[in-house]
Amino acid sequence: MQRPRDAGRAPLLALLASYLGTEPSAVRLLAGEHGRPALVAQSHDALDFNWSHSGERALVVVARGIAPGIDLELRRTRASALEIAQRFFTADEATWLATLDEDARRAAFLELWTAREAVLKALGRGLAFGLDRLSIRSDADGLALRSLEGDDPAAWQLHRLHVGGDAFAALAWRGAPRRIRLFALADAG
């Protein structure tokens, strides 16, 4: 029987169960110190995951040997992306955003936001860690972690994910480069 609080996680539990070779009802999740979901430790300790959703879309990352972080945001009208960036991002990022026209600024803001969230999720920390304690570079070559308080940014991988439409997504982990494979699943209903 599915627990009521896991009802919205049914697709996630089914996906994790397929990786673990078990039934979805056997998959147990727990919340880490700062709320990051994790599998209850068993013989599959090396399997980790993260997920994000926005609107009717969701992304799940499954990996072995690393703690990945992923974030997804749909484009929407914000009161002022620049005001939010000036308050919560680094001064360099806010200054860069101010040089862009409004449409480009909104897109760049969402890209920086998803990258930040992906890193913070990989760290197992939430937004309370402080959005200004890390700095992201975004350019034609991709995303890069420029600084992360208390850590070596060169030890991190940060990737822009092209998920189509008006959606922005980023994937992060601490460790060596890895191959990223994207799979699209459609809702059967």
Side-chain angles (χ1 to χ4, degrees), residues 11-182:
L12 172 66
L13 297 174
L15 178 67
L16 293 172
S18 70
Y19 275 89
L20 298 171
T22 190
E23 295 297 319
S25 60
V27 177
R28 299 282 182 255
L29 302 179
L30 58 84
E33 180 182 353
H34 300 282
R36 185 182 193 275
L39 288 162
V40 172
Q42 293 177 4
S43 61
H44 48 73
D45 292 332
L47 185 70
D48 206 339
F49 74 97
N50 196 239
W51 72 323
S52 181
H53 60 88
S54 185
E56 296 293 316
R57 299 181 75 177
L59 290 175
V60 178
V61 57
V62 179
R64 291 198 184 275
I66 59 168
I70 197 163
D71 192 51
L72 168 70
E73 296 290 335
L74 296 180
R75 184 188 301 258
R76 57 188 176 269
T77 304
R78 293 199 176 273
S80 173
L82 187 56
E83 286 177 17
I84 295 169
Q86 289 169 333
R87 184 169 175 197
F88 296 107
F89 288 8
T90 65
D92 288 346
E93 292 164 326
T95 299
W96 172 68
L97 287 170
T99 67
L100 304 174
D101 69 52
E102 189 63 31
D103 286 340
R105 181 180 306 133
R106 285 188 179 144
F109 172 85
L110 285 171
E111 188 164 74
L112 292 177
W113 185 273
T114 58
R116 260 186 173 66
E117 283 230 38
V119 171
L120 293 175
K121 287 173 150 189
L123 276 172
R125 305 296 302 255
L127 298 177
F129 177 75
L131 295 173
D132 61 341
R133 294 172 71 182
L134 63 156
S135 178
I136 309 291
R137 184 197 81 234
S138 172
D139 59 29
D141 293 331
L143 296 169
L145 186 59
R146 292 190 318 186
S147 66
L148 175 58
E149 189 174 305
D151 205 336
D152 176 11
W156 284 80
Q157 306 299 317
L158 183 56
H159 296 273
R160 171 187 297 140
L161 299 178
H162 300 283
V163 293
D166 278 347
F168 295 83
L171 171 64
W173 69 90
R174 189 178 202 289
R178 292 177 170 228
R179 180 177 52 147
I180 300 170
R181 293 184 293 172
L182 296 174

